[in-house]
């Protein structure tokens, strides 16, 4: 009898282990997208836009933490195309990053299937086309990563959630804008601002009086910081690019290029229509646009309202400093976010990155530490994998900017090398009069300090080493600096870029190679079976090339 009980117990344990194993794999979500050109006129001027499944903006990706996303993209454009997923960190998998340094473009008439995972992530993000100047034609859409049902969220469930994609926009075609840059000229000012792909009062959001709503806001534009406000309503900031924040109240919020955030607001005003106002900041001329916030059942139209947004750098700087991590909240896991004490880790390397501009061969170029990035004929990730020499220069980006006036801007396909699991301090320095916005693929970074003036080692005394917000896109104010700390725990080839898109197109970017000699699949996933091959890593010769792995 005892032997039978032991056998039954063993069988029960096996069944439980099988069930646990089956439940351990996160769900799969499948998307089938076709990318085409189509006629759009968001500001009333007909133009050619990039549509996904006939939509502008494109379809929304809705998923939960750890979900596997299988996104099949068919390129029906007459030119190569790539999508990148801004803020959706690919752990150990820069093969799926969707930028020219990691992926071959999808040829016209062909498809590529992205295999992504929202691994240990929550929050608000977006996707966009990364090649040429496609971003100026559309092709972008929202990403929502919801918390798993059992993970507590630090606010009551809202009555509803709305995506708000804001961005500056040109009536000029993206090809004409690209030609302007290629000829060595600068872009003119944008023609307007879009809210969810529509011009003034084209977008509307319906709410019920007394209920609380969540807005997931992303700046998908090309260059402008945008100020966001709701007429007669305060907003509570609750999330920034996957980090739950201290829930401060704001009347308006600056959203810099490529940044995303979430706010809660309560429909607690008299029932009528109100304006949501979006306006450019730090620009030579101010552009404004509005959407309509409609109280259900109200017949009172929106009243005339001229949004008086902030106008000075100090306001925006102080607001940015007030954004801090909610240390009592869970993130994608049930443990409090504050259990990771980033401020007590020893920094192993300091990197100072300065943006600059100059002429190379009689044409305008933008640079990082004096180096203007030149696209290669082969994705850098493939060249590294197959040991193809001459595609890029490792160590081509110095750890500090040249002494002022000591060196001119030069063109080079340069890669910065780094060690896996090092803990790095990066200081972005801005000597220009415009706001800069920087993004690092594959990572979230701790934004520990920012100020106007020059950075020095004494600046570290003012760093926030307790509850700095962790995010993937950071701004640097005019004549100022921003300091971040990064745990380089994600092996791969990752794009570091300006999110002022003309600057990025003209060279203000580079790739960071996070390297480990172990070549274990524990540290980095193998090259995908469906990887596209191009340039010097074509299907014909790839079998002859030795890989590093």
């Amino acid at each position: 009898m005892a032997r039978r009980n032991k056998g039954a117990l063993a069988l029960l344990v096996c069944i439980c282990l099988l069930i646990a194993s089956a439940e351990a794999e996160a769900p799969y979500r499948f998307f089938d997208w076709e990318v085409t050109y189509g006629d759009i006129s968001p500001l009333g001027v007909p133009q050619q836009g990039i549509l996904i499944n006939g939509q502008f903006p494109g379809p929304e990706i809705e998923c939960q933490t750890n979900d596997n996303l299988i996104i099949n993209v068919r390129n029906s454009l007459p030119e190569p195309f790539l999508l990148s997923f801004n803020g959706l960190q690919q752990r150990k998998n820069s093969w799926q990053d969707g930028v020219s340094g990691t992926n071959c473009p999808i040829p016209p008439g062909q498809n590529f299937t992205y295999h992504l995972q929202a691994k240990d992530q929550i929050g608000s993000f977006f996707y966009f086309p990364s090649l040429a100047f496609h971003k100026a034609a559309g092709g972008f859409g929202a990403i929502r990563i919801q918390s798993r049902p059992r993970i507590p969220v630090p606010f009551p469930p809202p009555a509803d959630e709305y995506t708000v994609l804001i961005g500056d926009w040109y009536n000029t075609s993206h090809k004409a804008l690209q030609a302007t840059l290629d000829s060595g000229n600068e872009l003119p000012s944008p023609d307007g601002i879009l809210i969810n792909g529509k011009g003034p009062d084209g977008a509307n959001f319906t709410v019920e009086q007394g209920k609380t709503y969540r807005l997931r806001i992303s700046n998908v534009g090309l260059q402008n910081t945008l100020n966001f406000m709701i007429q007669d309503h305060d907003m509570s900031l609750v999330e920034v690019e996957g980090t739950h924040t201290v829930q401060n109240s704001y009347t308006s919020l600056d959203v810099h290029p490529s940044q995303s955030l979430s706010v809660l607001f309560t429909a607690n005003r008299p029932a009528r229509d109100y304006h949501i106002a979006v306006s450019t900041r730090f620009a030579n001329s101010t552009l404004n646009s509005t959407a309509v916030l409609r109280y259900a059942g109200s017949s009172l139209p929106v009243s005339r309202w001229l949004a008086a947004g902030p106008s000075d750098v100090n306001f925006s700087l102080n607001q940015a400093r007030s954004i801090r991590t909610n240390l009592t909240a869970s993130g994608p896991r049930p443990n409090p976010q504050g259990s990771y004490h980033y401020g007590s880790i020893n920094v192993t390397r300091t990197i100072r990155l300065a943006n600059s501009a100059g002429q190379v061969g009689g044409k305008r170029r933008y640079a990082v530490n004096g180096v203007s990035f030149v696209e290669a004929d082969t994705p850098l990730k493939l060249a590294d994998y197959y040991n193809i020499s001459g595609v890029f220069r490792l160590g081509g980006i110095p750890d500090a900017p040249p002494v002022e006036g000591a060196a001119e801007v030069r063109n080079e396909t340069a890669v910065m090398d780094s060690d896996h699991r090092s803990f790095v301090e990066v200081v972005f320095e801005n000597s220009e009069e415009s706001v800069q916005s920087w993004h690092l693929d594959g990572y979230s970074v701790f934004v520990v300090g920012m100020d106007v003036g020059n950075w020095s080692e004494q600046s570290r005394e003012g760093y926030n080493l307790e509850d700095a917000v962790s995010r993937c896109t950071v701004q640097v104010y005019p004549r100022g600096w921003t300091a971040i700390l990064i745990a380089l725990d994600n092996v791969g080839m990752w794009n570091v870029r300006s999110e002022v898109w003309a600057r990025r197109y003209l060279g203000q970017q580079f790739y960071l190679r996070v390297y480990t000699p172990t070549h274990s699949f524990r540290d980095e996933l193998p090259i995908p079976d469906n990887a596209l091959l191009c340039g010097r890593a074509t299907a014909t010769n790839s079998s002859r090339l030795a890989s590093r792995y």
Side-chain angles (χ1 to χ4, degrees):
M1 191 65 161
R3 189 174 299 169
R4 285 183 188 174
N5 288 341
K6 288 181 181 178
L9 181 60
L11 179 62
L12 181 61
V13 169
C14 288
I15 292 173
C16 290
L17 288 173
L18 286 172
I19 293 173
S21 175
E23 289 181 346
E25 187 171 16
Y28 281 74
R29 298 181 188 266
F30 296 89
F31 304 84
D32 191 28
W33 290 353
E34 183 179 14
V35 181
T36 61
Y37 280 130
D39 294 330
I40 59 174
S41 51
L43 293 176
V45 177
Q47 60 189 124
Q48 187 183 64
I50 294 178
L51 313 180
I52 299 182
N53 289 354
Q55 300 178 39
F56 170 74
E60 190 168 278
I61 294 175
E62 176 95 28
C63 62
Q64 283 187 7
T65 302
N66 293 344
D67 280 359
N68 295 284
L69 309 177
I70 311 300
I71 306 172
N72 181 47
V73 177
R74 286 172 288 162
N75 178 19
S76 294
L77 302 182
E79 68 247 31
F81 182 81
L82 270 179
L83 278 179
S84 190
F85 301 84
N86 203 76
L88 187 58
Q89 300 168 22
Q90 291 313 297
R91 304 301 300 175
K92 308 184 293 184
N93 197 11
S94 63
W95 301 108
Q96 306 287 344
D97 201 25
V99 289
S100 60
T102 56
N103 294 96
C104 293
I106 307 171
Q110 297 188 31
N111 75 298
F112 177 73
T113 302
Y114 293 87
H115 293 252
L116 309 172
Q117 188 181 22
K119 179 66 175 172
D120 291 336
Q121 279 192 275
I122 58 168
S124 310
F125 309 98
F126 67 94
Y127 61 86
F128 68 96
S130 63
L131 289 187
F133 220 60
H134 285 155
K135 193 178 182 185
F140 48 74
I143 303 172
R144 297 185 189 182
I145 308 178
Q146 304 282 5
S147 295
R148 289 175 290 175
R150 295 180 182 178
I151 306 301
V153 174
F155 49 84
D160 206 346
E161 294 188 359
Y162 290 111
T163 289
V164 189
L165 300 178
I166 58 178
D168 47 28
W169 187 259
Y170 287 88
N171 288 326
T172 308
S173 75
H174 69 286
K175 292 182 179 179
L177 295 174
Q178 183 176 344
T180 297
L181 295 173
D182 289 340
S183 66
N185 296 310
E186 295 195 40
L187 295 183
S189 297
D191 295 298
I193 297 170
L194 302 188
I195 302 175
N196 284 352
K198 298 179 173 63
D201 288 350
N204 61 79
F205 307 88
T206 301
V207 297
E208 294 184 26
Q209 195 169 35
K211 293 186 177 180
T212 297
Y213 295 84
R214 181 176 185 172
L215 302 181
R216 293 177 180 260
I217 306 162
S218 294
N219 185 342
V220 297
L222 296 176
Q223 65 186 54
N224 284 105
T225 294
L226 298 176
N227 184 258
F228 183 92
M229 59 197 311
I230 307 174
Q231 183 179 8
D232 295 342
H233 292 72
D234 290 336
M235 301 173 290
S236 178
L237 183 67
V238 294
E239 176 254 332
V240 167
E241 295 168 358
T243 300
H244 290 306
T245 60
V246 174
Q247 295 174 21
N248 295 326
S249 180
Y250 301 91
T251 56
S252 73
L253 279 163
D254 282 349
V255 189
H256 301 274
S258 192
Q259 289 187 344
S260 299
L261 52 83
S262 288
V263 299
L264 296 178
F265 77 95
T266 302
N268 55 5
R269 307 299 295 170
R272 60 172 304 133
D273 290 354
Y274 296 86
H275 266 140
I276 292 174
V278 179
S279 58
T280 54
R281 295 271 276 123
F282 316 115
N284 293 330
S285 58
T286 302
L287 296 173
N288 298 281
S289 191
T290 51
V292 176
L293 180 70
R294 180 157 291 143
Y295 276 58
S298 168
S299 57
L300 295 174
V302 66
S303 61
R304 179 173 172 76
W305 176 60
L306 294 176
S311 58
D312 63 294
V313 168
N314 284 335
F315 177 92
S316 185
L317 176 59
N318 290 330
Q319 181 180 92
R321 288 168 171 163
S322 73
I323 299 174
R324 297 174 291 119
T325 298
N326 184 345
L327 296 181
T328 63
S330 293
R333 301 188 189 95
N335 59 299
Q337 296 183 39
S339 62
Y340 182 74
H341 299 295
Y342 68 92
S344 61
I345 302 174
N346 291 329
V347 170
T348 56
R349 180 181 178 187
T350 295
I351 302 169
R352 294 167 48 221
L353 300 176
N355 48 280
S356 59
Q359 297 285 319
V360 180
K363 291 187 177 181
R364 184 78 165 176
R365 296 291 296 181
Y366 292 98
V368 185
N369 287 359
V371 181
S372 186
F373 184 82
V374 178
E375 299 284 358
D377 61 1
T378 304
L380 314 187
K381 181 65 182 171
L382 286 177
D384 193 38
Y385 180 79
Y386 287 119
N387 283 311
I388 304 173
S389 62
V391 175
F392 63 86
R393 185 164 79 89
L394 199 59
I397 300 286
D399 278 13
V403 177
E404 190 173 351
E408 296 181 351
V409 169
R410 72 176 191 276
N411 285 346
E412 188 174 358
T413 307
V415 172
M416 179 178 283
D417 203 15
S418 60
D419 295 327
H420 185 215
R421 300 198 184 282
S422 58
F423 194 71
V424 176
E425 173 190 43
V426 177
V427 181
F428 294 102
E429 300 177 350
N430 180 15
S431 62
E432 301 180 45
E433 296 294 342
S434 58
V435 176
Q436 302 295 312
S437 185
W438 291 91
H439 176 88
L440 170 58
D441 280 351
Y443 283 90
S444 280
V445 303
F446 294 99
V447 187
V448 294
M450 59 177 63
D451 207 344
V452 294
N454 295 324
W455 180 88
S456 68
E457 293 188 1
Q458 286 68 41
S459 302
R460 294 179 180 132
E461 296 173 5
Y463 282 5
N464 178 359
L465 299 179
E466 297 294 332
D467 59 358
V469 71
S470 178
R471 63 187 313 165
C472 57
T473 310
V474 298
Q475 73 274 19
V476 191
Y477 289 98
R479 304 288 177 181
W481 57 269
T482 295
I484 62 175
L485 297 179
I486 318 170
L488 294 178
D489 57 357
N490 196 9
V491 172
M493 187 80 73
W494 302 106
N495 192 214
V496 182
R497 61 176 177 263
S498 169
E499 288 294 348
V500 179
W501 211 243
R503 300 182 75 110
R504 192 257 187 186
Y505 178 77
L506 292 179
Q508 196 168 300
Q509 60 165 315
F510 64 92
Y511 284 82
L512 177 70
R513 178 180 180 254
V514 181
Y515 178 75
T516 175
T518 58
H519 306 310
S520 165
F521 293 159
R522 178 195 61 192
D523 298 323
E524 184 175 26
L525 297 178
I527 185 171
D529 293 336
N530 68 332
L532 298 174
L533 300 177
C534 58
R536 287 180 253 179
T538 60
T540 341
N541 64 14
S542 62
S543 57
R544 297 186 291 103
L545 297 171
S547 81
R548 292 182 183 273
Y549 292 72

